[in-house]
Amino acid sequence: MVTQVIHGSEIDLKLDSVIPPNITTDDANFFTHTAFRVLIGADPPAAFEFMKVSEAEFPALNGQGVSYAVLQFPSGSLNPSHRHPHSAELLFLLIGSLKVGFVDANDVLHTQTLQAGDLFIFPVGVVHYQYNYGRDLAFAISAFGSANVRTIPTPGLSKRLPSLARLMHQMLRR
């Protein structure tokens, strides 16, 4: 007979919190990132643009397992197919509408039309894209489950999906 004893105790918050080891001050400026301020009141971009904040841009993210990006889609613009091998992406559409999609492990294409206020999850490692088919700007934010998200372009996507032109045609018919 095997007996297992499990002891429970109250969590020691000092041991369970993750503060980057290079912090030697209680200055809250270290925990503040202001680069996105340039987006407030700015003119819309002429082509798809994104601005990310990962550990490289914001050292306070070290050890936190999160990062962030802001995506701006003028009418007809595309965030080309890519993947994040070690992180899911949670996209929150603030303004406009987007067609989004990803290819799962069985080479099945999953697409969705998003409206402002919608959330969409791109699972870890899947090839995915976003396309603004509308007439107005689309503005989204993405949260990632890693402080160092790698983005890998997938220019050879045509091997796994129909040509981009055919894909867009399929998406617009839905």
Side-chain angles (χ1 to χ4, degrees), residues 23-39:
I23 298 298
T24 57
T25 178
D26 61 357
D27 185 358
N29 287 325
F30 180 81
F31 298 96
T32 305
H33 187 68
T34 61
F36 288 151
R37 289 179 182 176
V38 300
L39 299 171

Side-chain angles (χ1 to χ4, degrees), residues 53-163:
V53 58
S54 64
E55 185 179 325
E57 296 84 18
F58 189 18
L61 295 179
N62 179 12
Q64 303 304 315
V66 296
S67 58
Y68 206 66
V70 174
L71 303 99
Q72 298 179 82
F73 299 84
S75 179
S77 65
L78 171 73
N79 183 2
S81 63
H82 62 282
R83 64 189 187 92
H84 310 290
H86 303 293
S87 177
E89 176 179 352
L90 182 61
L91 183 131
F92 175 44
L93 185 59
L94 290 166
I95 297 170
S97 54
L98 291 175
K99 291 270 189 179
V100 300
F102 68 87
V103 178
D104 69 18
N106 297 315
D107 286 335
V108 174
L109 174 62
H110 301 270
T111 63
Q112 185 62 274
T113 300
L114 302 180
Q115 301 300 319
D118 291 346
L119 284 171
F120 192 84
I121 185 79
F122 298 102
V124 175
V126 300
V127 174
H128 62 280
Y129 64 90
Q130 301 98 23
Y131 173 67
N132 180 359
Y133 66 92
R135 294 182 182 192
D136 299 319
L137 175 77
F139 189 91
I141 55 175
S142 285
F144 301 92
S146 170
N148 290 308
V149 171
R150 287 184 45 218
T151 299
I152 299 175
T154 54
L157 183 62
S158 60
K159 294 175 185 167
R160 296 187 72 190
L161 288 176
S163 72

